[in-house]
Amino acid sequence: MVRCSNNLVGILNIVTLLISIPIIGGGIWLSKQANTECERFLEKPVIALGVFILLVSLAGIIGSCCRVTWLLWVYLLVMFLLILLLFCFTIFAFVVTNKGAGEKISGKGYKEYRFGDYSNWLQKRVDKNWNRIHSCLQDSKICQKLIDQGSNTKADDFFQEHLSALQSGCCKPSNDCNFEYVSPTNWTKPANSSSVTNPDCTTWSNDPNVLCYGCQSCKAGLLDNIKSDWKRVAVLNIIFLIFLIVVYSIGCCAFRNNREDNAWKRYP
């Protein structure tokens, strides 16, 4: 007799099997087309994720539809570990993104970001990988819009712009520096700039290839982006966890069905 739970596990894993194919294809495409360090960094994890989903899906299909009990047991074990891992990561993501936020500046449309305001764990990860991240940020041309504006943007208009966290941190000097505005990416240092304690003021350069990419504020802008992205991912993880728990429960029923079928065959 065909069991409903076995069929459901089979159908769900056929869907995930089909999803894994474009993921693997995307990873292979990235490996062929990658021109920057950022793109090359992504190719291996994408391919690994696709292969993992493919193998788990195959185990689920064969284990449930072909009544291979040991393979279904492996499938359920992997699913359990995945549920546990996602649960731990979701809690961790909420904890490490709890600290830090942009500081509103009076009379300005944008916010200022300070590296020390964010989670120590995130700070250490960013510092450790900053050379690679720095290269990625330059390749992404996040400041290109401001560079293109040139001197066409008046100071009052620029100060009212709602810049992204990365644009605010990487494309302009800190408000602490009290630099004189010339254009969005061109600022004049005051005569008494040596008395300013913020190290970003000496790091800033009007060179469009340098700007404030080496500033602490640029790292802070990146962390603010990571914080927002991780919170979104954590919410999606909760939805995905519910789905995995449902699939795991159906898989447990299919595993029980396999054992009962094997018992009937053993004792006719």
Side-chain angles (χ1 to χ4, degrees):
M1 180 174 142
V2 178
R3 305 296 182 97
C4 181
S5 55
N6 291 68
N7 290 342
L8 278 174
V9 172
I11 291 168
L12 288 170
N13 280 282
I14 287 172
V15 173
T16 56
L17 177 69
L18 294 174
I19 291 172
S20 71
I21 295 171
I23 293 175
I24 295 171
I28 295 171
W29 181 84
L30 271 177
S31 67
K32 302 293 183 183
Q33 301 294 324
N35 295 316
T36 67
E37 185 67 21
C38 295
E39 291 169 338
R40 284 190 290 271
F41 174 72
L42 285 172
E43 65 188 49
K44 290 181 181 177
V46 169
I47 293 174
L49 175 64
V51 171
F52 173 77
I53 294 173
L54 177 69
L55 293 176
V56 172
S57 300
L58 283 173
I61 293 168
I62 297 170
S64 61
C65 296
C66 300
R67 303 296 195 273
V68 182
T69 305
W70 71 267
L71 200 54
L72 190 57
W73 182 88
V74 171
Y75 169 78
L76 290 174
L77 176 63
V78 172
M79 288 288 287
F80 175 78
L81 294 175
L82 186 59
I83 289 169
L84 189 63
L85 182 66
L86 276 176
F87 177 78
C88 293
F89 173 76
T90 302
I91 299 298
F92 177 74
F94 278 117
V95 171
V96 299
T97 58
N98 194 41
K99 288 179 62 180
E103 177 188 348
K104 291 184 178 180
I105 306 296
S106 178
K108 305 289 173 66
Y110 50 77
K111 296 179 180 180
E112 294 269 294
Y113 301 87
R114 304 189 185 280
F115 191 53
D117 291 346
Y118 294 86
S119 158
N120 289 332
W121 186 87
L122 285 175
Q123 288 182 47
K124 289 176 183 177
R125 300 287 83 72
V126 168
D127 274 332
K128 183 179 179 181
N129 298 287
W130 185 244
N131 287 337
R132 174 178 285 174
I133 296 169
H134 181 278
S135 172
C136 290
L137 290 174
Q138 286 182 313
D139 289 338
S140 67
K141 301 186 183 298
I142 56 171
C143 301
Q144 192 60 47
K145 179 184 174 183
L146 300 181
I147 294 171
D148 292 342
Q149 287 177 357
S151 57
N152 295 327
T153 305
K154 295 180 181 179
D156 290 341
D157 294 334
F158 175 74
F159 292 143
Q160 295 306 314
E161 284 202 24
H162 297 281
L163 303 178
S164 69
L166 282 173
Q167 286 177 324
S168 177
C170 306
C171 307
K172 67 168 191 59
S174 170
N175 196 60
D176 296 343
C177 304
N178 295 316
F179 288 177
E180 184 181 343
Y181 176 88
V182 178
S183 73
T185 56
N186 194 339
W187 300 72
T188 302
K189 294 183 180 182
N192 61 344
S193 61
S194 58
S195 62
V196 179
T197 57
N198 191 329
D200 288 353
C201 299
T202 55
T203 306
W204 168 264
S205 171
N206 287 328
D207 182 342
N209 294 317
V210 179
L211 298 178
C212 219
Y213 286 118
C215 297
Q216 294 297 299
S217 62
C218 190
K219 296 178 182 179
L222 175 72
L223 285 183
D224 198 76
N225 265 22
I226 291 173
K227 175 184 173 180
S228 299
D229 291 343
W230 275 33
K231 281 194 171 181
R232 292 191 194 100
V233 168
V235 172
L236 290 174
N237 275 354
I238 293 172
I239 298 170
F240 189 48
L241 267 173
I242 294 170
F243 171 75
L244 285 181
I245 291 170
V246 171
V247 174
Y248 180 78
S249 301
I250 297 171
C252 288
C253 292
F255 180 72
R256 185 186 62 192
N257 291 342
N258 282 9
R259 292 189 66 179
E260 288 177 357
D261 288 347
N262 290 338
W264 279 107
K265 289 175 184 178
R266 194 177 298 116
Y267 304 107

